Amino acid sequence: MTRGILMLALLGVLAGCSGTEDRATPAPSTAVPSAKAGFGGPTPTPVPATEVEESRFRTPTQNIACVLTDSEVRCDIVRKKWSAPSKPSDCSLDWGNGMAVSDGKATFTCAGDTVVGTSTSTLKYGRAVRSGTVRCDSVHTGLTCKDEETGHGFTLASGKYELF
């Protein structure tokens, strides 16, 4: 008798999981970078990048703004929950308010200005842009930019960062 009650309960649970609303929603595509891209997650399948000569863009949250050219990118961040490492002695300006890839290397910015407010477009989530050897990918969890020749770059987000 107990076994029969368990079978009926199991059938009731299974019946509740087969509503038509589940069938109408397509499974998300894996072609867009994952939420863990750039922060130790699986390597995402790259999306095709829009080729440009130069671009001034921001992320959809408008928290990160970048200037991209054929050999470098600089991105500044407005709100962040992390701190940059100690300011180097050769930096006499503001330190660590963004990151850059220049000469194939990634570093924190040492600058007396900002690129915030200079953007002319938004790099939507799941999209990428490339100029020369430098590519930037936008996902919900942050922005990843790298020099594709050297493999050096950064991932920038309000909650954390990564230089590679």
Side-chain angles (χ1 to χ4, degrees):
M1 177 125 185
T2 304
R3 186 174 181 178
I5 293 173
L6 288 174
M7 290 299 289
L8 284 174
L10 181 59
L11 286 173
V13 169
L14 291 174
C17 291
S18 62
T20 57
E21 66 278 359
D22 291 337
R23 291 184 205 130
T25 306
S29 169
T30 58
V32 176
S34 76
K36 295 183 179 180
F39 288 118
T43 302
T45 304
V47 296
T50 301
E51 299 285 340
V52 297
E53 287 185 32
E54 183 177 303
S55 181
R56 291 180 174 270
F57 64 89
R58 64 190 160 271
T59 57
T61 61
Q62 298 186 19
N63 192 39
I64 301 170
C66 303
V67 174
L68 170 68
T69 67
D70 65 347
S71 61
E72 59 188 22
V73 63
R74 172 183 168 187
C75 297
D76 291 344
I77 187 165
V78 178
R79 295 172 307 281
K80 62 186 191 309
K81 298 174 186 170
W82 48 267
S83 297
S86 299
K87 183 177 179 177
S89 60
D90 63 345
C91 177
S92 61
L93 302 170
D94 292 329
W95 170 254
N97 292 321
M99 296 183 175
V101 174
S102 183
D103 296 325
K105 299 174 188 169
T107 185
F108 286 94
T109 56
C110 173
D113 61 358
T114 183
V115 298
V116 173
T118 65
S119 307
T120 57
S121 65
T122 298
L123 185 59
K124 295 180 180 179
Y125 298 133
R127 301 290 172 93
V129 64
R130 175 189 293 118
S131 181
T133 62
V134 183
R135 175 185 170 120
C136 294
D137 289 80
S138 176
V139 295
H140 289 280
T141 57
L143 179 74
T144 299
C145 295
K146 76 174 187 176
D147 184 311
E148 294 181 310
E149 279 187 354
T150 66
H152 293 291
F154 60 83
T155 299
L156 187 57
S158 61
K160 55 186 168 179
Y161 71 87
E162 180 181 7
L163 286 171
F164 53 88

